[in-house]
């Protein structure tokens, strides 16, 4: 019987199952699921992929786009061919439907993971169909790995061993099983029309194809897609495929993955509140369209002072690059969850301005459930859970799937994922696929690490403009991963925008080199032209992927922009003796750190104004808050004092940050007086203005960031003062913008850093900053012009004559520490695209998402205060008004409620947690609640919970209080 006849009713046996639902007794033929996936893949090619992605795949296959589309559908359809094996016996009810002839021809088969079985079986089948089979890079091997990689990892294939013909015939069943696998493959090929054979399969094409296959499989696996046509339907493959192609349009449409075009809007309409672009933005609007239009994709580095409008600059640059390069959408990457939440609000406003276009915007970070703008459906365990294995909090178990992937089995160490029929793209592991995404940079960095689903992340990033904001905030560890990610994005022709206020020149060049090397340029040639890749400050530099030519901001535009943003900040280095509060009522002596802070902020309490005090640690912030609350002379009490740090419960922190953004934001209403005591939480991407800033000593780059919050909107308010913004108090106007830096010293006035500050910055950066600020000429800083010069003085590789031997030694230690971080980070990187032989090289290390760190420290755990009231049920508050949700079926609102009362802490603090610190039994079935550490609290007698040598207590006013015993 030929392939055409077999496509008709009863032409091919449909007794082999691919989907099974025990609850309703539904059985769905594996051939039909394969055809469903092929049809969805074709629709995704048309609607999800952008022109640059389609070009990359077609070019990587050496084919025209129409031919490549059919091949992609063909390979997507083959992804579950490995289920034609002992997999069929995993479910007894479904196995009973298999024909007697097949049941009798099992031979000595053995149980193999079905994705690995697909890869092993396809090597020989594709070779028979004309695909070249030679080495690891040959089309037969790579296509088999693509199909076998649909669960997130590329399998290693030994074409002379487990993937050899004889071994496959033994491991995956006898002659009849081998025959039906070939006939199924031939049928998929016939119906998809993939008769053309690619002569090559590039690594980049393979990665994008694998990501597409993964998306197609997940969409086609939704119960609502296959269940209505399950249970051995009476029609053939051709009729079913025609239906599947029709259904695929509906499935992809409901997923909201289709790329859209934003309306073209004038600048002021796209960015409400702005009348016209500033000189730097105007220069990009004038020059970038020509550069990108003539040369194509590239990397744009923008350096500008804090508060100068870098976010708006990035949005306009992304629009221009997308129009020129054939990409659609953007992915905004931020260093922290707080900055991501702020960017989410900004991008939401930007997309609302483009209505009625139905744009989809997702927020992707580990704590996105704390953002009230996100849906409660994200928190509900689904009715069809499957194992996602990419949650950053929970490790995956490589052996959880023994060949079967059954509905309802979450696996060991996996995480429950819900299929949302009205918002599929909002799922935890696929939110990056949305056309518009705000995420922490860690979510993107995982694409350059050998973890499951890295191909899906690469597909998600490559079709849109990627914006890396606050690049200076990344450590050497994270920057090393970023350079590898940029290498891959360069190879895929993805436009990239990097924003920074204090990025050292050498670091900026490294990012440029990595992107351009990925695009095919030799690194040594780029290094030889290093002067061409120096980014002006303030300004921008664009280097295209095609020619690696660098173009910078015109000199007159840079001069105009610097003049428009220019402001002079008086920087006062105040020597202070560091001492914690040991007795609550103790008044600090003259010269102590707390006394200096009280002296600097006292006029605000008496005369009015808005001050921000940035402390090195949470403990210092708590001490400072308590001291100012007790000893400052407040006219009407200390209600104008606000404490904000990261170790507050989420519900409080969200409200506090919203209050700060509103009261200190550009439109107000601004209070008569306010003192905010905080940590580094407020130094990035928060658009706020303070009359006075006091900061503990930190690196100069961070001080410049904090100085960016000092009189931030002064020039804008001089032109037009909003109704809610009163003039600054007269005593503030008389002094001008003043920034006080508390310099911890010992008895002979030399820098003496507290031990607790060791984790905040490398000692060299703090010592060098203190030394630099004591030199003549650095007490008044003109921004933005001097910012880059000062940063380069700190990060230079040579040894200035003014350095002491101690400072020189610290510098060497700092460089060694950065090299060590880079080396440690490099160990887990995927190889560059041009150094991949077998696709399995991208998963040589079987790392879980929990093991593959994107930062040089462990991931935090979350703790939750649980108040005990004798015989009454436990509550989340001391008053006993908020019962602890613990029913068997928690509603999404209840889950959010619990999570919003939790606090992040280093995992080492709760390593000694025992069974008594676990939550209710029902919580263990939910991934976001199972990992919580419950801290028993007694409302009548505040007492810390002892976990090993760590004592933890959550105070309503101060947040989490931590003490460590010896």
């Amino acid at each position: 019987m030929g392939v055409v006849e077999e496509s008709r009713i009863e032409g091919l046996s449909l007794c082999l199952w691919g989907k099974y639902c025990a609850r309703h007794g539904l059985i769905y033929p594996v051939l039909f699921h394969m055809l469903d996936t092929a049809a969805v893949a074709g629709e995704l090619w048309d609607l999800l992929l952008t022109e640059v992605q389609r070009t990359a795949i077609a070019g990587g296959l050496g084919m025209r786009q129409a031919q490549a589309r059919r091949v992609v559908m063909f390979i997507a359809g083959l992804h579950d061919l490995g289920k034609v094996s002992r997999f069929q016996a995993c479910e007894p009810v479904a196995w009973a439907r298999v024909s007697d002839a097949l049941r009798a021809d099992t031979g000595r088969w053995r149980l193999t993971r079905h994705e690995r079985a697909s890869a092993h079986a396809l090597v020989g089948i594709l070779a028979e169909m004309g695909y070249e089979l030679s080495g690891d890079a040959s089309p037969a091997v790579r296509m088999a790995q693509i199909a076998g990689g649909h669960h997130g990892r590329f399998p290693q294939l030994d074409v002379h061993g487990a993937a050899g013909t004889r071994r496959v015939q033994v491991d995956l069943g006898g002659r009849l099983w081998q025959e039906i696998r070939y006939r199924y493959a031939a049928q998929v090929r016939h119906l998809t029309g993939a008769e053309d054979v690619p002569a090559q399969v590039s690594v980049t094409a393979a990665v994008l194809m694998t990501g597409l296959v993964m998306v197609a499989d997940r969409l086609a696996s939704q119960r609502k897609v296959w269940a209505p046509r399950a249970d051995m339907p009476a029609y053939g493959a051709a009729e079913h495929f025609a239906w599947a192609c029709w259904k695929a349009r509906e499935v992809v449409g409901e997923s909201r993955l289709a790329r859209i075009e934003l309306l073209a809007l004038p600048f002021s309409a796209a960015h409400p509140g702005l009348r016209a672009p500033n000189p730097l933005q105007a220069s990009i609007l004038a020059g970038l369209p020509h550069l990108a239009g003539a040369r194509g994709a590239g990397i744009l580095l923008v350096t500008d002072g804090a508060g100068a409008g870098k976010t708006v600059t990035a949005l306009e640059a992304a629009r221009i690059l997308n129009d020129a390069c054939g990409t659609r959408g953007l992915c905004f990457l931020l260093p922290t969850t707080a900055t991501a939440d702020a960017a989410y609000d900004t991008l939401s406003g930007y997309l609302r301005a483009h209505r009625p276009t139905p744009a989809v915007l997702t927020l992707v970070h580990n704590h996105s459930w704390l953002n009230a703008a996100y849906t409660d459906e994200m928190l509900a365990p689904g009715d069809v859970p499957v194992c996602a294995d990419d949650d950053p909090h929970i490790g995956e178990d490589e052996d959880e799937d023994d060949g079967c992937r059954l509905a309802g089995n979450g696996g060991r160490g996996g995480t429950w994922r819900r299929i949302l029929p009205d918002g599929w793209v909002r799922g935890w592991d696929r939110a990056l696929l949305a056309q518009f995404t705000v995420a922490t940079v860690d979510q993107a960095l995982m694409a350059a690490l050998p973890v499951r689903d890295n191909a899906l992340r690469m597909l998600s990033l490559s079709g849109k403009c990627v914006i890396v904001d606050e690049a200076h905030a990344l450590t050497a560890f994270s920057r090393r991963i970023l350079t590898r990610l940029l290498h891959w994005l360069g190879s895929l022709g993805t436009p990239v925008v990097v924003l920074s206020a204090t990025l050292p020149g050498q670091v900026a060049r490294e990012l440029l080199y990595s992107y351009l090397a990925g695009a095919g340029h030799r690194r040594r040639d780029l290094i030889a032209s290093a002067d061409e890749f120096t980014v002006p400050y303030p300004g921008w530099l664009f280097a295209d992927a095609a020619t690696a030519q660098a173009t910078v901001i015109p000199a007159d535009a840079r001069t105009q922009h610097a003049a428009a943003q220019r402001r002079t900040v008086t920087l006062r280095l105040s020597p202070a003796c560091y001492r914690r509060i040991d007795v609550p009522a103790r008044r600090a002596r003259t010269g102590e750190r707390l006394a200096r802070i009280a002296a600097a902020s006292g006029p605000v309490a008496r005369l009015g104004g808005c001050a921000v005090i940035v402390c090195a640690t949470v403990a210092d912030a708590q001490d400072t808050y308590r001291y100012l609350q007790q000893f400052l002379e407040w006219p009407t009490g200390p209600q104008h004092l606000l404490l904000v740090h990261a170790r507050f419960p989420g519900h409080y922190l969200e409200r506090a940050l919203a209050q700060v953004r509103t009261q200190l934001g550009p439109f107000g209403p601004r209070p008569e007086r306010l003192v905010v005591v905080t940590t580094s939480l407020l130094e990035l991407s928060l658009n706020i203005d303070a009359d006075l800033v006091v900061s503990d000593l930190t690196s100069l780059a961070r001080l410049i960031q904090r100085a960016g919050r000092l009189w931030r909107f002064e020039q804008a308010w001089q032109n037009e003062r909003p109704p809610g913004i009163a003039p600054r108090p007269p005593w503030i106007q008389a002094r001008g913008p003043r920034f006080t830096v508390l310099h911890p010293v010992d008895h002979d006035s030399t820098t003496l850093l507290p031990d607790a500050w060791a984790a905040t910055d490398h000692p060299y950066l703090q010592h060098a900053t203190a030394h630099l600020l004591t030199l003549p000429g650095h007490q008044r800083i003109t921004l933005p012009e001097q910012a880059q010069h000062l940063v380069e003085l700190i990060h230079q590789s040579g040894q200035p004559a003014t350095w002491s031997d101690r400072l020189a030694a610290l510098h060497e230690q700092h460089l060694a520490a950065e090299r060590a971080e880079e080396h440690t980070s490099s160990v887990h990187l995927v190889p560059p695209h041009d150094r991949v032989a077998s696709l399995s090289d991208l998963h040589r290390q079987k790392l879980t998402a929990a093991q593959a760190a994107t930062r040089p420290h462990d991931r935090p755990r979350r703790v939750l205060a649980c108040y005990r009231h004798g015989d009454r049920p436990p509550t989340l508050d001391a008053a006993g008004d908020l019962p602890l949700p613990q029913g068997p079926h928690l509603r999404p609102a209840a889950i959010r409620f619990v999570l919003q009362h939790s606090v992040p802490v280093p995992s080492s603090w709760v390593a000694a947690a025992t069974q008594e610190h676990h939550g209710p039994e029902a919580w263990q079935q939910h991934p976001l609640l199972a990992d919580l550490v419950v801290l028993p609290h007694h409302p009548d007698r505040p007492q810390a919970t002892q976990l090993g040598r760590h004592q933890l207590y959550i105070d309503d006013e101060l947040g989490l209080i931590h003490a460590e015993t010896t």
Side-chain angles (χ1 to χ4, degrees):
M1 186 181 295
V3 67
V4 176
E5 292 75 15
E6 287 186 332
S7 69
R8 299 169 183 164
I9 296 178
E10 298 183 358
L12 271 176
S13 173
L14 299 177
C15 65
L16 301 179
W17 66 278
K19 296 293 178 185
Y20 172 71
C21 175
R23 181 186 305 174
H24 300 100
L26 299 178
I27 300 174
Y28 195 59
V30 64
L31 176 60
F32 283 7
H33 173 62
M34 292 163 61
L35 292 173
D36 292 345
T37 306
V40 172
E43 200 68 19
L44 289 172
W45 175 280
D46 297 334
L47 299 179
L48 169 64
L49 295 190
T50 59
E51 180 63 25
V52 70
Q53 290 172 310
R54 290 191 288 265
T55 300
I57 294 176
L61 300 181
M63 310 177 82
R64 298 189 302 274
Q65 285 196 20
Q67 296 172 307
R69 181 183 187 273
R70 292 191 287 268
V71 170
V72 168
M73 294 176 64
F74 173 47
I75 299 302
L78 298 180
H79 77 287
D80 265 359
L81 191 65
K83 289 184 176 179
V84 184
S85 65
R86 190 179 171 183
F87 174 92
Q88 295 294 311
C90 284
E91 184 51 59
V93 175
W95 173 243
R97 306 287 292 266
V98 176
S99 68
D100 293 339
L102 286 171
R103 289 163 64 91
D105 191 39
T106 57
R108 293 178 296 153
W109 70 359
R110 67 185 186 91
L111 191 58
T112 306
R113 294 172 64 96
H114 78 266
E115 63 267 33
R116 187 175 293 124
S118 294
H120 288 175
L122 282 173
V123 172
I125 291 175
L126 291 174
E128 289 186 53
M129 292 180 172
Y131 284 71
E132 179 190 349
L133 175 58
S134 52
D136 286 338
S138 61
V141 173
R142 284 196 169 164
M143 288 298 191
Q145 288 180 307
I146 292 170
H150 72 274
H151 275 250
R153 293 192 188 278
F154 290 111
Q156 173 65 45
L157 293 184
D158 182 0
V159 297
H160 302 295
T165 302
R166 292 185 178 181
R167 181 75 175 271
V168 168
Q169 290 175 347
V170 173
D171 291 346
L172 305 184
R175 180 185 58 80
L176 292 180
W177 290 89
Q178 181 76 2
E179 179 181 322
I180 199 168
R181 281 193 295 270
Y182 184 88
R183 291 165 64 192
Y184 275 6
Q187 189 61 231
V188 175
R189 188 185 193 191
H190 164 68
L191 292 175
T192 58
E195 302 299 330
D196 298 302
V197 176
Q200 64 184 33
V201 181
S202 71
V203 173
T204 51
V207 169
L208 295 182
M209 286 179 63
T210 304
L212 188 69
V213 171
M214 293 170 66
V215 179
D217 177 36
R218 295 183 183 192
L219 285 173
S221 294
Q222 296 176 95
R223 183 186 297 181
K224 66 174 184 178
V225 175
W226 60 266
R229 293 172 72 89
D231 205 17
M232 312 288 285
Y235 37 76
E239 183 181 3
H240 178 83
F241 186 66
W243 170 86
C245 291
W246 169 83
K247 183 68 175 178
R249 289 189 289 273
E250 175 186 320
V251 171
V252 175
E254 290 181 351
S255 72
R256 305 188 71 183
L257 290 175
R259 277 18 188 172
I260 62 172
E261 295 279 354
L262 289 183
L263 299 174
L265 294 179
F267 182 88
S268 58
H271 308 285
L274 297 179
R275 293 184 175 181
N278 63 36
L280 187 147
Q281 294 162 353
S283 67
I284 287 181
L285 292 173
L288 190 58
H290 170 72
L291 294 173
R295 305 181 195 171
I299 180 171
L300 174 71
L301 264 70
V302 179
T303 60
D304 203 357
K310 292 190 294 296
T311 299
V312 172
T313 303
L315 293 175
E316 288 299 310
R319 176 185 60 80
I320 295 170
L321 291 170
N322 282 332
D323 290 344
C325 306
T327 48
R328 292 291 177 267
L330 57 88
C331 181
F332 223 110
L333 302 177
L334 285 302
T336 66
T337 58
T339 56
D341 287 341
Y344 180 81
D345 294 341
T346 300
L347 195 53
S348 295
Y350 176 74
L351 293 179
R352 281 196 299 269
H354 288 80
R355 284 181 178 177
T357 307
V360 175
L361 173 63
T362 57
L363 177 65
V364 193
H365 59 69
N366 294 342
H367 303 151
S368 57
W369 38 264
L370 281 176
N371 190 307
Y374 233 46
T375 60
D376 280 337
E377 287 85 356
M378 289 287 296
L379 303 177
D383 53 357
V384 190
V386 293
C387 192
D389 286 329
D390 78 339
D391 187 88
H393 296 294
I394 304 174
E396 61 189 343
D397 188 334
E398 180 64 24
D399 297 321
E400 58 83 23
D401 185 347
D402 60 357
C404 307
R405 196 169 280 266
L406 305 179
N409 180 12
R412 293 168 294 163
T415 175
W416 300 103
R417 181 183 73 235
R418 186 180 185 198
I419 307 299
L420 296 175
D422 59 347
W424 186 88
V425 75
R426 288 185 178 271
W428 294 108
D429 56 346
R430 49 192 180 264
L432 279 177
L433 283 167
Q435 184 171 355
F436 300 96
T437 300
V438 176
T440 49
V441 69
D442 310 77
Q443 298 293 334
L445 296 183
M446 296 294 282
L449 296 173
V451 297
R452 181 167 292 183
D453 293 349
N454 56 4
L456 181 62
R457 292 177 189 267
M458 198 66 74
L459 173 76
S460 303
L461 296 171
S462 62
K464 49 200 170 193
C465 182
V466 175
I467 302 171
V468 183
D469 197 3
E470 309 285 4
H472 52 268
L474 300 180
T475 64
F477 187 98
S478 301
R479 285 200 307 268
R480 185 69 185 89
I481 307 176
L482 177 62
T483 57
R484 183 57 49 86
L485 175 63
L486 291 178
H487 179 97
W488 275 85
L489 295 179
S491 71
L492 293 166
T494 303
V496 173
V497 178
V498 178
L499 308 177
S500 177
T502 54
L503 193 65
Q506 183 56 40
V507 174
R509 284 188 287 271
E510 283 296 325
L511 299 180
L512 287 165
Y513 296 159
S514 297
Y515 180 89
L516 297 175
H521 302 280
R522 293 192 302 178
R523 184 180 180 84
R524 61 184 180 184
D525 294 339
L526 298 172
I527 295 176
S529 305
D531 291 342
E532 298 179 13
F533 297 104
T534 299
V535 188
Y537 192 99
W540 54 265
L541 180 149
F542 177 74
D544 65 280
T547 67
Q549 293 183 26
T551 303
V552 299
I553 182 174
D556 58 342
R558 176 174 175 266
T559 301
Q560 293 175 19
H561 183 68
Q565 302 294 329
R566 184 175 295 120
R567 55 201 175 97
T568 300
V569 174
T570 300
L571 201 154
R572 177 171 169 261
L573 195 64
S574 179
C577 176
Y578 179 85
R579 184 180 175 186
R580 294 286 307 278
I581 292 181
D582 44 5
V583 179
R586 181 181 71 83
R587 182 180 289 272
R589 297 177 181 176
T590 302
E592 283 190 30
R593 171 184 172 274
L594 291 174
R596 298 285 193 193
I597 293 176
S601 54
V604 175
R606 297 191 307 272
L607 305 174
C610 296
V612 172
I613 301 171
V614 189
C615 304
T617 68
V618 170
D620 291 331
Q622 291 168 335
D623 276 0
T624 302
Y625 174 82
R626 286 186 291 187
Y627 190 82
L628 297 181
Q629 186 182 52
Q630 184 174 5
F631 293 110
L632 276 194
E633 298 177 5
W634 300 93
T636 58
Q639 66 266 30
H640 304 294
L641 181 65
L642 180 65
L643 177 63
V644 184
H645 58 73
R647 293 200 183 118
F648 270 110
H651 68 94
Y652 174 90
L653 184 58
E654 184 179 14
R655 287 199 308 269
L657 287 174
Q659 177 183 345
V660 172
R661 285 200 297 264
T662 299
Q663 294 188 340
L664 300 185
F667 306 110
R670 195 174 179 89
E672 181 182 355
R673 59 174 53 80
L674 177 66
V675 176
V676 180
V677 180
T678 184
T679 60
S680 59
L681 185 69
L682 292 190
E683 73 184 25
L684 296 174
S685 289
L686 292 182
N687 199 27
I688 60 175
D689 175 293
D691 299 320
L692 173 72
V693 175
V694 180
S695 171
D696 280 328
L697 179 67
T698 185
S699 66
L700 186 62
R702 284 189 167 186
L703 290 181
I704 292 175
Q705 285 289 324
R706 295 170 187 179
R709 275 70 194 163
L710 186 62
W711 290 38
R712 186 184 185 103
F713 309 132
E714 181 63 19
Q715 291 184 346
W717 289 345
Q718 286 179 350
N719 297 330
E720 182 179 358
R721 186 172 295 274
I725 305 299
R728 300 189 194 275
W731 74 274
I732 291 287
Q733 291 282 6
R735 292 174 48 168
R738 182 169 295 189
F739 186 9
T740 301
V741 178
L742 302 174
H743 179 201
V745 296
D746 60 7
H747 62 279
D748 61 354
S749 299
T750 59
T751 304
L752 179 63
L753 299 178
D755 293 339
W757 293 13
T760 62
D761 264 321
H762 192 277
Y764 160 73
L765 297 177
Q766 299 175 75
H767 279 272
T769 298
H771 171 74
L772 185 64
L773 295 181
T774 59
L775 298 178
H778 292 152
Q779 283 67 49
R780 289 177 62 84
I781 300 177
T782 302
L783 299 176
E785 288 96 326
Q786 285 186 272
Q788 189 67 26
H789 169 67
L790 294 173
V791 169
E792 298 296 348
L793 287 179
I794 296 292
H795 290 275
Q796 59 189 306
S797 57
Q799 180 176 337
T802 59
W803 281 6
S804 64
D805 292 341
R806 182 189 182 196
L807 195 55
L810 286 172
H811 184 233
E812 290 299 322
Q813 294 173 14
H814 171 63
L815 294 179
E818 286 205 327
R819 288 193 295 266
E821 279 193 20
E822 291 176 351
H823 174 74
T824 304
S825 179
S826 299
V827 170
H828 291 165
L829 292 178
V830 299
H833 78 283
D834 51 359
R835 295 186 182 179
V836 175
S838 169
L839 294 179
S840 62
D841 291 344
L842 299 177
H843 291 109
R844 286 291 184 193
Q845 303 174 71
K846 294 185 178 180
L847 294 181
T848 67
Q851 294 169 333
T854 55
R855 301 180 189 240
H857 50 72
D858 62 353
R859 287 182 173 84
R861 295 280 298 277
R862 301 193 72 85
V863 298
L864 179 76
C866 178
Y867 292 88
R868 307 298 171 87
H869 304 270
D871 296 335
R872 294 170 53 197
T875 64
L876 292 173
D877 66 323
D881 298 329
L882 306 174
L884 189 72
Q886 48 184 323
H889 302 290
L890 295 177
R891 299 178 65 85
I895 298 170
R896 181 188 295 281
F897 188 68
V898 172
L899 293 172
Q900 287 180 331
H901 282 77
S902 65
V903 179
V905 299
S907 60
S908 59
W909 291 7
V910 295
T914 61
Q915 187 68 30
E916 70 169 317
H917 302 109
H918 291 178
E921 184 176 351
W923 291 11
Q924 308 310 309
Q925 306 304 316
H926 196 286
L928 295 177
L929 301 181
D931 205 36
L932 285 178
V933 176
V934 174
L935 305 179
H937 281 38
H938 299 277
D940 299 329
R941 56 181 194 279
Q943 185 176 356
T945 300
Q946 188 79 39
L947 295 174
R949 56 192 178 88
H950 298 278
Q951 296 178 342
L952 304 177
Y953 180 78
I954 299 179
D955 183 84
D956 290 341
E957 189 175 14
L958 300 177
L960 185 130
I961 300 174
H962 169 255
E964 190 170 353
T965 59
T966 56

